[in-house]
């Protein structure tokens, strides 16, 4: 892949964009955190019994049976993924595009990372034939492919891979001896949970899949880092968990005690937590649908968003109009849209896409309001039968600005 040209542009950041401001903290979670603020003893590496018991219940309710000794927790998805990959030898494969923080973890470990194209209908899961070809090529070049990262509910594409696509990709991976790490951070953010089927790879290949979940995806604030992993109970699963705990111990990657208490409460899914999670998913679904319509009417391409808080757009059909404005690659596209939208709009190169492809990830949170008060008002409008979210002044204004940035590309410079 051609490396980004940084001349005159400053340093390229390969890590994830800055954390996105979300809705105000749920008062019940804040109360649990505050009540545990006096705790001075740290959580043990991998998480304490209360946190792991809560995580166990969370996965049992989703059809993934497990026990506390099959789980591990860490202060955020990045250190947990790093420890998981370190516990496995060999090279790492991942779909293109993929979450912006995956590739840096492999690079920090000195592991080669290979990006595999995804099917036309979704992101997050590699095309099985492309996966087999990539494995063959890597081995022919002397590499040792050992781990496949995937995400059924995907960031950045906001798609949910159909079960048959997931099965074909997992069967291909397992047949080639790859261990699968399934990032299921966004599984609880489905835009239409009654019409979207999400099947975990761990249900299909229970002995060959480790499941990773960043709780900041739907349950806790991003400022309270906590992530959990579920290991296979059989085969090499226990040994891999032990190696992962060794890495977490060496890193000092322990969940802060007050955060662990709040995370355990959220994983228990009391009514106030599940109500907020459903309302938040519905809120982002509304503005994502409006943004998707705007992108398509402007002449760009994007798969319909089905989960999460983003939209992945391909502005390739507008390449001529963009070239007139000095935009010829995804770095320049990032600069162009960031300037017009007033918020960082990361280009596809951050997600493993080719630099020359004019792709960009569009976040939905800026459409909810510029302040915590406006975002709370948006949530109230979404859950009220008397108000229309899209008619709220700050949401309408944000959508208008969003639309202007794209529709101006239909006019010659």
């Amino acid at each position: 892949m051609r490396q980004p040209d940084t001349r005159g542009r400053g340093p390229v950041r390969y890590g994830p964009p800055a954390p996105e401001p979300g809705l105000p903290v749920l008062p019940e979670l804040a109360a649990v955190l505050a009540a545990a603020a006096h705790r001075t003893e740290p959580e043990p590496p991998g998480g304490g019994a209360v946190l792991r018991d809560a995580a166990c219940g969370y996965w049992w309710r989703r059809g993934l049976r497990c026990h506390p000794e099959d789980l591990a927790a860490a202060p955020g998805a990045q250190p947990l993924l790093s420890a998981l990959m370190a516990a496995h030898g060999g090279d790492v494969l991942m779909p293109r595009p993929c979450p912006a923080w995956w590739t840096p973890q492999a690079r920090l470990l000195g592991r080669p990372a290979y990006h595999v194209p995804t099917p036309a209908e979704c992101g997050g899961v590699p095309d099985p034939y492309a996966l087999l070809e990539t494995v063959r090529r890597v081995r022919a070049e002397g590499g040792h492919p050992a781990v496949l990262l995937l995400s059924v509910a995907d960031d950045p594409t906001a798609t949910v891979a159909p079960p048959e696509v997931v099965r074909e990709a997992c069967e291909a991976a397992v047949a080639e001896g790859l261990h699968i790490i399934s990032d299921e951070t966004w599984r609880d953010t489905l835009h239409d949970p009654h019409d979207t089927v999400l099947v975990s790879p761990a249900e299909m290949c229970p002995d060959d899949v480790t499941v990773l979940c960043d709780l900041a995806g739907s349950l806790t604030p991003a400022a309270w880092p906590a992530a959990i992993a579920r290991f296979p109970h059989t085969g090499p699963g226990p040994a891999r968990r032990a190696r992962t705990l060794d890495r977490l111990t060496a890193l000092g990657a322990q969940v802060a005690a007050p955060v662990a208490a709040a995370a355990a409460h959220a994983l228990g899914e009391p009514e106030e937590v599940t109500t907020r999670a459903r309302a938040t998913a519905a809120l982002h679904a509304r503005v994502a649908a409006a943004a998707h319509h705007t992108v398509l009417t402007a002449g760009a391409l994007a798969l319909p968003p089905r989960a999460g808080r983003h939209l992945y757009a391909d502005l390739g059909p507008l390449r001529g109009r963009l070239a007139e404005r000095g935009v010829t690659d995804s770095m320049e596209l990032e600069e162009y849209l960031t300037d017009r939208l007033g918020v960082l709009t990361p280009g596809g190169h951050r997600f493993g896409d080719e630099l020359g492809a004019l792709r960009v990830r569009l976040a939905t949170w800026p459409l909810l309001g510029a302040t915590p008060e406006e975002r709370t008002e948006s949530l109230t409008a979404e859950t009220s039968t008397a108000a229309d979210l899209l008619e709220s002044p700050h949401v309408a204004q944000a959508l208008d600005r969003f639309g202007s940035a794209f529709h101006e590309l239909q006019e010659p410079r």
Side-chain angles (χ1 to χ4, degrees), residues 45-212:
V50 173
L51 177 56
R52 288 184 291 114
D53 280 342
C56 190
Y58 170 86
W59 269 312
W60 270 73
R61 289 189 293 275
R62 285 152 182 79
L64 297 179
R65 296 187 176 186
C66 56
H67 300 87
E69 60 269 22
D70 303 327
L71 310 179
Q78 287 89 342
L80 186 52
L81 178 61
S82 179
L84 287 172
M85 289 195 295
H88 295 79
D91 305 337
V92 181
L93 284 75
M94 56 188 74
R96 173 185 288 128
C98 67
W101 57 278
W102 281 7
T103 305
Q105 301 306 313
R107 287 177 175 159
L108 286 171
L109 293 171
R111 302 286 179 82
Y114 300 92
H115 292 88
V116 185
T118 56
E121 65 265 37
C122 66
V125 176
D127 177 88
Y129 296 104
L131 175 63
L132 293 172
E133 174 59 24
T134 302
V135 169
R136 183 201 63 78
R137 176 175 56 83
V138 171
R139 286 179 176 154
E141 295 173 354
H144 177 52
V147 176
L148 170 66
L149 300 182
L150 53 77
S151 54
V152 177
D154 184 47
D155 167 27
T157 65
T159 59
V160 177
E164 60 274 16
V165 174
V166 178
R167 176 173 293 280
E168 291 174 1
C170 290
E171 289 178 347
V174 171
E176 292 298 326
L178 304 181
H179 184 73
I180 299 167
I181 298 178
S182 174
D183 182 354
E184 300 183 9
T185 294
W186 301 103
R187 67 169 298 152
D188 294 324
T189 65
L190 301 183
H191 293 176
D192 188 354
H194 300 295
D195 195 39
T196 304
V197 178
L198 187 152
V199 179
S200 170
E203 297 179 64
M204 300 176 174
C205 306
D207 297 331
D208 300 288
V209 178
T210 297
V211 180
L212 168 70

Side-chain angles (χ1 to χ4, degrees), residues 345-400:
T345 306
H349 61 283
R350 297 185 186 271
F351 308 100
D353 245 331
E354 295 288 348
L355 179 62
L358 294 173
R359 300 191 183 106
V360 66
R361 190 188 73 173
L362 303 163
T364 51
W365 69 261
L367 304 175
L368 304 179
T371 66
E373 293 74 20
E374 288 183 348
R375 291 191 287 275
T376 300
E377 184 181 333
S378 296
L379 183 63
T380 302
E382 176 60 28
T383 56
S384 171
T385 57
D388 187 344
L389 168 68
L390 301 185
E391 293 180 358
S392 297
H394 58 276
V395 174
Q397 184 178 11
L399 285 170
D400 187 60

